[in-house]
């Protein structure tokens, strides 16, 4: 996946519609949260077994659409804020790998 190409495409899409005036970090983070909540809503009242089989159901297309929306807003947020996805993933995973994990009692 060429992240920079996707970010350029998303930026061009927004600019063609004169949307950057609304796309500050707060608004994009809000939109990302809303799209994440729409993904969560699909699973809201499902049992664990139903959730495990959702991609084999008639809801699979809806799940894919919401995942795409989350990815779009995340990539565009990164482009607008100058955050390097690979760098922040590497940093966070490195810290996680060296952290002691315990379940809470």
């Amino acid at each position: 996946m060429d992240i920079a190409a996707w970010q350029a495409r998303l930026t061009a899409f927004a600019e063609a519609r004169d949307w950057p005036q609304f796309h500050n970090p707060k608004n994009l983070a809000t939109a990302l949260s809303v799209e994440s909540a729409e993904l969560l809503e699909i699973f809201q009242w499902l049992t664990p077994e139903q959730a495990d089989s959702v991609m084999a159901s008639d809801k699979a297309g809806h799940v894919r659409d919401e995942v795409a929306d989350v990815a779009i807003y995340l990539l565009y947020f990164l482009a607008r804020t100058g955050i390097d996805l690979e760098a922040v993933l590497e940093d966070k995973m490195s810290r996680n790998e060296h952290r002691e994990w315990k379940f809470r009692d």
Side-chain angles (χ1 to χ4, degrees), residues 1-59:
M1 177 175 167
D2 186 340
I3 292 173
W6 272 106
Q7 289 175 316
R9 183 175 176 184
L10 295 168
T11 298
F13 181 85
E15 287 174 351
R17 289 154 181 80
D18 197 28
W19 290 348
Q21 62 184 315
F22 308 110
H23 291 168
N24 59 66
K26 180 201 71 81
N27 288 351
L28 291 172
T30 300
L32 178 57
S33 176
V34 168
E35 293 302 338
S36 295
E38 290 178 4
L39 175 61
L40 178 59
E41 184 179 31
I42 297 166
F43 296 90
Q44 184 174 9
W45 301 113
L46 300 182
T47 66
E49 296 77 20
Q50 290 169 325
D52 281 339
S53 63
V54 77
M55 293 311 292
S57 76
D58 61 345
K59 296 179 183 179

